[in-house]
């Protein structure tokens, strides 16, 4: 990257990787695109040291890159990347996502033009498969959840954590809610370090992949930013595709993780006296109760399913509606 790029325009691109093969393809796509606004790329190695660092260097070409030894959980790895970054804005993606042309440049331009935005969430679509379709549902008080679905000769597939069709570009102006229902997820997320919340970890280390809930770290952060009046925005021009088509068994496991992560993320605030978070949690669980497609009418059974003590059933469309995010 030319050294003349202004610091307030450049950003750091960061990824926490568990060694998925798409990592190297994503790095190559980033390096082959316009890198003029990328100051550095940080890869947090959450594989326990098995990452091929020569392959990382080969994939990024001349783009400056650092590989950091990760602690395991994604939230802690992201906090590490934020603490090590040399730019104010850090743009995160997941290692099962692939950038579209202009991804980093578009996000860098938006964050530079909107200096009061603390978090910018880019657009995410599924990696396209023949005849795939977008499913979505509006959940009262929360917003619109979306997912990809497709029927194949080998069974139905489901892709979570994609963008909702009703989301509006720019700064979200509604009441605090979970970001996966109004702006997006951490698989395509820019954070401005100078506008994050003080006196707490950016991502709570007991939430997210690599922890017992296995999700919820971005839900909690997005809600906390909105609650404290920080500006969050949907930036659809910065686009990623999510290469995460899941079969029935893996989709069932992911849905359990999402339920538990959302419960624990909102519950974290509700248990600290936040009545609004408690109302959101009640709305989320109420929606799941009437649409789970598993016959789980009692909240005790819903929690037992989410926390793994009930045998999961087939993942039906109605259950996806309350859980994708």
């Amino acid at each position: 990257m030319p050294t003349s790029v202004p610091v307030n325009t450049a950003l750091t691109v960061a990824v926490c990787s568990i060694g998925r093969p798409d990592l190297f393809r994503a790095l190559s796509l980033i390096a082959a695109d316009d890198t003029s606004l990328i100051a550095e790329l940080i890869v947090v190695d959450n594989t326990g040291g098995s990452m091929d660092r020569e392959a990382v260097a080969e994939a990024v070409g001349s783009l400056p890159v650092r590989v950091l030894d990760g602690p395991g959980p994604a939230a802690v790895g992201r906090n590490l990347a934020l603490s090590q970054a040399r730019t104010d804005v850090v743009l995160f993606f997941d290692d099962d996502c692939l950038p579209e042309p202009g991804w980093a440049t578009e996000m860098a331009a938006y964050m530079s033009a909107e200096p009061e935005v603390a978090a910018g969430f880019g657009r995410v679509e599924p990696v396209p498969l023949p005849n795939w379709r977008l499913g979505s549902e509006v959940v009262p008080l929360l917003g619109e959840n979306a997912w990809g679905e497709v029927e194949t000769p080998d069974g139905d597939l489901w892709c979570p954590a994609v963008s909702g069709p009703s989301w509006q570009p720019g700064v979200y102006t509604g009441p605090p809610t979970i970001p996966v229902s109004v702006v997006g997820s951490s698989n395509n997320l820019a954070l401005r370090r100078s506008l994050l919340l003080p006196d707490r970890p950016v991502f709570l280390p007991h939430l997210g992949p690599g922890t017992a809930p296995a999700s919820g770290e971005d839900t909690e952060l997005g809600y906390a930013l909105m609650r404290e009046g920080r500006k969050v925005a949907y930036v659809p021009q910065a686009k990623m595709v999510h290469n995460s088509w899941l079969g029935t068994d893996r989709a069932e496991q992911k849905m359990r993780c999402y339920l538990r992560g959302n419960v624990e993320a909102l519950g974290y605030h509700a248990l600290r006296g936040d009545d609004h978070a408690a109302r959101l949690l009640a709305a989320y669980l109420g929606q799941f109760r009437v649409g789970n497609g598993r016959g789980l009418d009692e909240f005790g059974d819903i929690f037992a399913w989410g926390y793994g003590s009930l045998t999961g059933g087939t993942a039906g469309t109605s259950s996806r509606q309350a859980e994708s995010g």
Side-chain angles (χ1 to χ4, degrees):
M1 186 200 76
T3 55
S4 60
V5 174
V7 172
N8 64 345
T9 302
L11 52 69
T12 299
V13 173
V15 57
C16 296
S17 178
I18 57 173
R20 292 184 177 113
D22 280 331
L23 170 68
F24 302 103
R25 184 180 172 194
L27 295 177
S28 296
L29 289 170
I30 293 169
D33 201 10
D34 182 358
T35 63
S36 61
L37 297 180
I38 300 177
E40 185 182 30
L41 200 150
I42 294 177
V43 179
V44 179
D45 179 5
N46 278 337
T47 69
S50 64
M51 181 176 292
D52 187 339
R53 301 193 179 198
E54 291 185 2
V56 170
E58 182 178 350
V60 302
S62 60
L63 187 62
V65 62
R66 278 186 289 163
V67 180
L68 306 178
D69 292 325
V76 185
R78 291 195 188 111
N79 289 340
L80 175 64
L82 287 163
S83 71
Q84 293 291 309
R86 301 181 180 115
T87 60
D88 194 23
V89 176
V90 180
L91 174 55
F92 288 97
F93 71 99
D94 285 353
D95 66 355
D96 61 353
C97 290
L98 301 169
E100 293 285 280
W103 168 68
T105 302
E106 292 285 2
M107 187 63 83
Y110 181 84
M111 296 297 284
S112 177
E114 300 290 341
E116 294 183 355
V117 169
F121 293 78
R123 180 170 180 81
V124 180
E125 295 181 354
V127 167
L129 293 178
N131 301 315
W132 80 273
R133 57 192 176 272
L134 184 69
S136 66
E137 184 186 48
V138 174
V139 181
L141 294 183
L142 272 71
E144 183 174 26
N145 294 337
W147 61 91
E149 55 187 22
V150 65
E151 297 176 4
T152 76
D154 297 323
D156 293 346
L157 300 177
W158 175 69
C159 181
V162 300
S163 298
S166 70
W167 296 354
Q168 297 300 305
V171 174
Y172 171 70
T173 58
T177 185
I178 59 175
V180 294
S181 295
V182 291
V183 287
S185 304
S186 57
N187 55 357
N188 188 359
L189 167 64
L191 294 177
R192 193 183 307 275
R193 297 191 301 159
S194 59
L195 293 181
L196 298 179
L197 302 177
D199 304 322
R200 54 156 284 170
V202 178
F203 293 95
L204 296 186
H206 66 276
L207 296 173
T211 69
S215 71
E217 82 292 354
D218 48 356
T219 296
E220 188 283 325
L221 172 61
Y223 175 77
L225 289 171
M226 294 180 211
R227 187 193 63 176
E228 295 301 320
R230 301 297 200 270
K231 291 184 178 181
V232 303
Y234 177 45
V235 190
Q237 61 268 34
K239 182 178 172 184
M240 277 271 175
V241 290
H242 197 191
N243 192 16
S244 185
W245 285 104
L246 308 177
T248 299
D249 290 343
R250 289 185 62 206
E252 182 83 8
Q253 181 183 29
K254 181 67 73 174
M255 291 172 183
R256 289 173 181 249
C257 292
Y258 285 154
L259 184 133
R260 181 171 176 178
N262 285 330
V263 166
E264 297 197 15
L266 291 171
Y268 176 83
H269 294 278
L271 290 172
R272 285 159 176 77
D274 185 337
D275 291 339
H276 183 68
R279 287 192 292 272
L280 293 179
L281 180 55
Y284 174 76
L285 290 173
Q287 183 72 14
F288 183 90
R289 181 176 181 269
V290 300
N292 66 76
R294 296 173 176 82
L296 301 176
D297 294 326
E298 301 295 331
F299 287 118
D301 288 339
I302 291 172
F303 283 110
W305 175 83
Y307 281 71
S309 61
L310 289 180
T311 300
T314 299
T317 300
S318 59
S319 64
R320 295 170 189 153
Q321 295 170 345
E323 295 164 326
S324 59

